[in-house]
């Protein structure tokens, strides 16, 4: 964004400054409101505005388009500093938040991000000192969950590990293999298959020959669906498991009933019923980033409330307090990540994934 555009934003911030009632808060929302991620940014806006409205305490929120870029992130941060917001929610893209955090950190403004998964954002906390807190899953959370869940679930089973050769599939499969071996388990078969074929008969045959009754496949939904179909055609009772890529829209070939998925719970399945009813009454679909952004604003508002003998730094509250939110209790760990478990085990019933825990 050019300097003239930033100057215009600053003028708007100063002109729009309001006297916030005692006990209320001035918050910011950083969201991509233009470009390819605009739909997700609008979900963030919907959630943030709904949470402020529900608080009904006179709190205000300034909303700025980050454009999912470094320039947009730094411009948004400078706007929030001028607007004297007390905390910022949102951010979807790593480029925007990394450009914004040095500016916001210097001003003592914490961020509760609902969309940035990159692990290094919070792993560097000790070095950067950035007051960033994360509701979104970490990028390495999926592998950690696959390793934890399946090494326990398949301890007494003959299992195989295969991948489609992509970076995503290979890293997930190899990470699970290493975790299994550290747990004293060894797959009976490992392989890399060719994706996007019309059939996976050859792979199903190799798996059956190995004696595997279960297989973890690092790949997408369509390939795992085809593998399941072809295993059934061979009369081969094979349990297939995959990662959150299985949550994609179904193709012509559907997943085999009994397929397992390790993925985050749907936000709406965790949400407080009264909030969902309010959204339904307003014909608002609580999809995507609506609910986590709602929760981020709830957390910011609670963290800004005086505790004990009086007010305390918001960063201290965010680091120490447990917050009651639309998604249930939330507490952040020493890095600033949500201390709860995002990932669950699901089983496909032929029409939808159902939680197994």
């Amino acid at each position: 964004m050019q300097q003239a555009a930033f100057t215009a934003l600053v003028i708007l911030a100063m002109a729009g400054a309001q006297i916030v009632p005692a006990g209320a808060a001035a918050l910011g929302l950083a969201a991509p409101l233009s470009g390819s991620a605009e739909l997700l940014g609008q979900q963030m806006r919907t959630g943030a505005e709904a949470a402020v409205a529900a608080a009904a305490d006179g709190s205000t929120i300034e909303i700025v388009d980050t454009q999912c870029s470094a320039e947009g992130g730094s411009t948004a941060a400078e706007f929030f500093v001028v607007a004297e917001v007390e905390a910022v929610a949102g951010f979807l893209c790593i480029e925007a938040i990394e450009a914004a955090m040095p500016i916001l950190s210097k001003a003592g403004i914490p961020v509760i991000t609902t969309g940035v998964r990159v692990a290094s954002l919070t792993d560097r906390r000790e070095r950067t000192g950035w007051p960033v807190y994360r509701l979104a899953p970490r990028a390495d959370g999926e592998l950690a969950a696959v390793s934890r869940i399946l090494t326990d679930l398949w301890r007494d089973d003959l299992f195989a590990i295969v991948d489609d050769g992509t970076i995503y599939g290979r890293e997930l499969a190899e990470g699970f293999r290493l975790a299994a071996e550290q747990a004293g388990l060894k797959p009976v078969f490992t392989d890399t298959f060719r994706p996007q074929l019309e059939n996976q008969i050859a792979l199903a045959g190799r798996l059956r020959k190995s004696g595997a009754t279960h297989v973890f496949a690092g790949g997408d939904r369509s390939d795992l669906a085809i593998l399941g179909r072809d295993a059934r055609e061979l009369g081969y009772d094979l349990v297939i498991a995959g990662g959150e890529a299985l949550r994609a829209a179904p193709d012509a070939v559907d997943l085999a009933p009994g397929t397992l998925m390790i993925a985050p719970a749907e936000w709406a399945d965790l949400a407080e019923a009264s909030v969902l009813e309010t959204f339904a009454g307003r014909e608002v679909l609580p999809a995507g980033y609506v609910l986590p952004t709602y929760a981020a604003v709830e957390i910011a508002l609670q963290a800004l409330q005086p505790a004990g003998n009086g007010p305390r730094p918001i960063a201290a509250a965010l680091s120490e307090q447990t917050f009651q939110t639309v998604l249930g209790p939330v507490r952040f760990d020493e890095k600033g990540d949500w201390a709860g478990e995002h990932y669950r085990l699901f089983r496909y019933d032929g029409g939808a994934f159902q939680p197994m825990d």
Side-chain angles (χ1 to χ4, degrees):
M1 185 179 294
Q2 300 297 319
Q3 181 62 36
F6 169 65
T7 302
L9 281 176
V10 171
I11 293 172
L12 285 173
M14 297 175 68
Q18 304 176 41
I19 297 176
V20 179
L27 305 178
L29 174 69
L33 299 174
S34 59
S36 59
E38 180 180 358
L39 175 62
L40 305 180
Q42 293 298 341
Q43 292 171 351
M44 291 179 169
R45 177 197 287 270
T46 296
E49 291 179 337
V52 169
D57 61 358
S59 293
T60 60
I61 188 158
E62 300 284 355
I63 301 173
V64 181
D65 180 9
T66 66
Q67 303 175 337
C68 260
S69 69
E71 190 174 16
S74 61
T75 299
E78 290 166 348
F79 175 90
F80 292 138
V81 171
V82 172
E84 298 183 338
V85 305
E86 298 169 272
V88 173
F91 283 108
L92 179 65
C93 305
I94 186 64
E95 298 86 356
I97 197 169
E98 285 195 329
M101 283 313 304
I103 300 167
L104 295 173
S105 180
K106 184 177 180 180
I109 301 173
V111 170
I112 305 168
T113 179
T114 53
V116 180
R117 291 192 174 200
V118 178
S120 62
L121 178 67
T122 51
D123 286 347
R124 294 175 294 171
R125 186 186 191 90
E126 187 174 340
R127 177 166 60 85
T128 63
W130 290 349
V132 60
Y133 300 83
R134 175 167 30 210
L135 278 176
R138 288 171 56 95
D140 54 7
E142 182 179 16
L143 173 56
V146 167
S147 300
R148 173 178 56 82
I149 292 171
L150 293 186
T151 53
D152 181 57
L153 188 66
W154 290 356
R155 182 164 294 279
D156 299 320
D157 296 310
L158 298 174
F159 66 91
I161 302 174
V162 300
D163 69 83
D164 62 2
T166 63
I167 294 175
Y168 167 78
R170 186 170 61 249
E171 289 185 349
L172 204 55
E174 180 63 11
F176 172 45
R177 184 189 67 79
L178 291 173
E181 291 188 357
Q182 289 173 0
L185 307 176
K186 186 175 182 179
V188 297
F189 177 79
T190 59
D191 197 9
T192 296
F193 64 89
R194 184 178 174 186
Q196 300 180 349
L197 297 178
E198 292 184 0
N199 72 76
Q200 293 290 352
I201 288 288
L203 176 60
R206 294 195 298 274
L207 286 165
R208 183 170 65 172
K209 185 177 180 180
S210 75
T213 57
H214 298 66
V215 60
F216 176 79
D220 65 22
R221 178 172 177 139
S222 61
D223 287 323
L224 272 63
I226 290 171
L227 174 60
R229 178 201 64 189
D230 293 348
R232 290 198 307 272
E233 290 181 357
L234 292 175
Y236 176 26
D237 187 12
L238 178 67
V239 176
I240 301 171
E244 59 184 300
L246 296 188
R247 194 163 265 155
D251 288 323
V253 178
D254 200 5
L255 292 167
T259 297
L260 303 178
M261 176 181 71
I262 295 90
E266 295 280 12
W267 294 118
D269 292 337
L270 303 176
E272 186 179 328
S274 61
V275 175
L276 295 179
E277 290 171 3
T278 299
F279 282 145
R282 298 175 181 174
E283 298 184 346
V284 173
L285 182 66
Y289 291 96
V290 172
L291 289 168
T293 309
Y294 189 108
V297 171
E298 286 183 309
I299 291 168
L301 292 174
Q302 290 175 41
L304 286 164
Q305 293 301 310
N309 296 325
R312 60 174 172 167
I314 181 175
L318 288 169
S319 297
E320 300 166 5
Q321 192 172 327
T322 297
F323 303 94
Q324 302 305 317
T325 78
V326 65
L327 302 177
V330 171
R331 188 177 185 88
F332 298 106
D333 64 19
E334 65 279 0
K335 290 183 177 180
D337 291 312
W338 185 11
E341 179 55 62
H342 282 281
Y343 287 84
R344 313 285 176 84
L345 179 65
F346 297 85
R347 184 179 185 276
Y348 193 63
D349 65 6
F353 280 103
Q354 304 296 338
M356 290 187 65
D357 53 355

